[in-house]
Amino acid sequence: MENKKAPSFIIGIIAIILGWTLFKHFDFKNISFQKPWLDGLYMIVFILSVYILVKNNGKGAEK
């Protein structure tokens, strides 16, 4: 059971870093990103990491 906490922590750190990077790269005045292709990749990985965190959190609550 304790082996599940380390990957969740690492994925959580990845999600925080990518979320902060996306926030910094977003231009609220023009509603666009500084580097659209790179930020699109960041967005995909950010959404995937948040999905994995939510999925793992749901499994832990059931037990």
Side-chain angles (χ1 to χ4, degrees):
M1 285 292 169
E2 294 182 29
N3 293 340
K4 297 278 184 179
K5 293 186 181 196
S8 295
F9 178 74
I10 293 170
I11 293 174
I13 296 297
I14 291 171
I16 290 170
I17 291 171
L18 288 176
W20 182 252
T21 303
L22 286 169
F23 180 75
K24 287 185 354 185
H25 284 195
F26 189 71
D27 182 16
F28 290 98
K29 188 175 182 181
N30 296 327
I31 307 175
S32 64
F33 286 104
Q34 290 178 0
K35 302 174 184 176
W37 289 101
L38 183 61
D39 291 330
L41 179 64
Y42 288 165
M43 182 70 76
I44 291 169
V45 176
F46 174 72
I47 291 171
L48 183 66
S49 63
V50 169
Y51 173 75
I52 291 171
L53 284 174
V54 169
K55 187 175 83 169
N56 286 343
N57 192 19
K59 285 184 179 180
E62 291 176 3
K63 291 185 178 182

